[in-house]
DNA sequence: CCTATGACGCCGG
DNA sequence: GCCGGCGCCATAG
C-alpha cells in the first residue's frame, strides 16, 4: 500500500458515524491534487481493511456515486441509513447538515 | 512510451 | 442551475 493510500484511509476512518465527507475535501486536506485519487484508493480499500467506512464518502453534491462498487448496489445506502441518514434518489438528504471536514479534527480531543 | 479510464471537481457558456 | 469541456493523476493495457 502506498503512503497516500494510507493517508486517505486514515482520514476516512476518522469520519464520525452518521456524518459524510467528499472526495474533494479529503484530496484538498491531503493536498493530493486530484479527487480521483481518493476514489481510486477507496476502490481498493477493502483489500487492505474491510472495516474502513468507505460508505461515508460521497461526491461534492452528496450523491452516492461509489455505490456500484460495494457488495450490492444498495449496500452503501443501507449502511448510511443505518447510521441515521436519509437517502433519496442516491443522494444524501440535508447534505449540508451532515457533512464533515477533515479540518474538524481536534488534536485535543 | 501513449492512450484510455475513472467512487472527481472547477469553470465558462 | 444545467451541461460540456478540461485538468487532475494513478493504473491498466
Amino acid at each position: 500500500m502506498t503512503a497516500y493510500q494510507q493517508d486517505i484511509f486514515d482520514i476516512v476512518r476518522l469520519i464520525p458515524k452518521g456524518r459524510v465527507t467528499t472526495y474533494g475535501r479529503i484530496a484538498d486536506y491531503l493536498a493530493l491534487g486530484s479527487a480521483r485519487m481518493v476514489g481510486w484508493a477507496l476502490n481498493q480499500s477493502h483489500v487492505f481493511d474491510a472495516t474502513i467506512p468507505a460508505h461515508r464518502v460521497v461526491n461534492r453534491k452528496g450523491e452516492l456515486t461509489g455505490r456500484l462498487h460495494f457488495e450490492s448496489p444498495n449496500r452503501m445506502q443501507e449502511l448510511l441509513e443505518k447510521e441515521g441518514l436519509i437517502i433519496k434518489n442516491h443522494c444524501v438528504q440535508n447534505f449540508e447538515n451532515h457533512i464533515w471536514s477533515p479540518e474538524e479534527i481536534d488534536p485535543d480531543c
Side-chain angles (χ1 to χ4, degrees):
Chain A
M1 155 166 31
T2 66
Y4 69 86
Q5 280 179 314
Q6 185 75 53
D7 292 341
I8 292 170
F9 297 158
D10 286 343
I11 294 294
V12 174
R13 278 189 266 256
L14 294 176
I15 306 173
K17 200 177 199 179
R19 307 281 299 280
V20 289
T21 192
T22 67
Y23 302 98
R25 285 188 182 215
I26 294 175
D28 284 347
Y29 185 77
L30 296 177
L32 296 178
S34 171
R36 289 179 180 276
M37 294 175 63
V38 177
W40 181 84
L42 284 176
N43 190 31
Q44 297 274 316
S45 65
H46 69 283
V47 174
F48 304 104
D49 181 1
T51 69
I52 295 172
H55 58 281
R56 296 182 189 143
V57 185
V58 298
N59 77 356
R60 64 150 172 183
K61 295 182 289 189
E63 295 170 334
L64 279 52
T65 47
R67 70 194 150 89
L68 296 178
H69 296 268
F70 285 77
E71 312 165 278
S72 91
N74 7 322
R75 184 67 184 158
M76 187 174 184
Q77 172 165 348
E78 290 171 2
L79 290 168
L80 289 173
E81 288 175 335
K82 197 179 300 182
E83 296 181 359
L85 297 183
I86 298 174
I87 312 300
K88 191 176 174 187
N89 245 331
H90 301 148
C91 292
V92 176
Q93 298 304 290
N94 219 345
F95 182 48
E96 291 304 320
N97 292 4
H98 300 288
I99 193 161
W100 174 88
S101 277
E103 333 266 331
E104 291 186 31
I105 299 171
D106 187 347
D108 297 330
C109 291

